[in-house]
Amino acid sequence: MQDKPVSNAPAPAAGTAPGTPVQTQVKPVIPAAAAKRANASVIGMIIALAVSIAAFLPIVLMNPAPKSDGFRPDINVSAVAQNAADVAGFTPVAPNPGDTYSPNYARWESGAESGVPTWEVGYLTPKESFIGLAQTARANPTWLVQQVENAPVTGKRNAGGLDWELRDSGKGKKSMVLVHRGTTVVLTGAAQLDEFSVLAAAVVESLNSNPPATVSPSAVPSS
């Protein structure tokens, strides 16, 4: 009895008709020289990147980003106040508390929502805090409560030779309120009282240099 030769060919898959040639998968083989060239290219790119970083790093370290106190817009409060005077019915205050106080906005609000047209100015203080100024000739209790954020009266504070009403909720923000020469001025913010006093004194100086406001009784909204 003769031995049957052993075949190394893979068995046909199930369902394959007899006699159908069996296809085997061929794995591509990268020649050693090509693989070496590919690796050399990758290593070259890494070396080039490292050289570039090493070349620019000293330049970056020798030229650090300039320190900045933040963007401070150039607001001419006096000029904006003069423009607003035509519609305000009074000359809005343009306090000048010194170069260490920086105004970051000045605007006239028509009062479309509150019914109280208001002159508004914001100041950044020397200690990097904030005080907002609001002035109107048509103040009412509702408007005042909104401006002081419902803070209760806690006393008085003299600034610019006048007694201002001091309101403090004990939650960081405080307000100083003054009724003088026909308008109501409210200062509100989280700044310290000494910074409030400097701005308040400048407000009084501006108020006294402007003509008093005159508003007809029919123009004053009811409380």
Side-chain angles (χ1 to χ4, degrees):
M1 185 175 182
Q2 297 181 351
D3 294 334
K4 295 182 179 179
V6 179
S7 174
N8 292 326
T16 304
T20 303
V22 179
Q23 296 181 352
T24 59
Q25 294 182 350
V26 179
K27 295 183 178 180
V29 179
I30 301 176
K36 186 176 181 180
R37 287 195 299 271
N39 290 334
S41 298
V42 173
I43 294 173
M45 291 175 62
I46 295 174
I47 293 175
L49 180 60
V51 171
S52 299
I53 295 175
F56 283 102
L57 188 59
I59 299 175
V60 174
L61 294 177
M62 288 188 296
N63 295 276
K67 294 182 179 180
S68 173
D69 294 331
F71 174 71
R72 297 203 172 193
D74 184 15
I75 305 295
N76 189 332
V77 177
S78 181
V80 181
Q82 288 298 323
N83 291 335
D86 295 336
V87 295
F90 63 92
T91 303
V93 293
N96 181 15
D99 294 339
T100 54
Y101 285 73
S102 177
N104 60 358
Y105 66 83
R107 62 199 179 205
W108 174 255
E109 288 291 338
S110 64
E113 296 183 0
S114 65
V116 181
T118 307
W119 167 242
E120 299 178 348
V121 188
Y123 286 92
L124 297 177
T125 71
K127 297 178 182 178
E128 297 299 322
S129 192
F130 174 81
I131 301 175
L133 179 156
Q135 180 188 20
T136 184
R138 302 182 182 181
N140 61 45
T142 300
W143 177 87
L144 184 58
V145 166
Q146 292 174 343
Q147 294 298 317
V148 302
E149 299 183 10
N150 208 28
V153 178
T154 57
K156 293 183 179 180
R157 187 173 182 86
N158 189 279
L162 299 176
D163 285 335
W164 292 64
E165 183 181 79
L166 181 62
R167 291 174 173 254
D168 193 345
S169 64
K171 298 179 180 179
K173 281 189 176 181
K174 58 187 71 70
S175 298
M176 288 176 62
V177 182
L178 177 69
V179 179
H180 186 54
R181 295 176 67 84
T183 68
T184 299
V185 179
V186 181
L187 303 179
T188 301
Q192 297 182 8
L193 282 176
D194 59 336
E195 293 183 311
F196 267 88
S197 294
V198 172
L199 180 57
V203 169
V204 172
E205 182 179 358
S206 181
L207 279 169
N208 289 335
S209 66
N210 295 336
T214 56
V215 179
S216 62
S218 61
V220 180
S222 58
S223 301

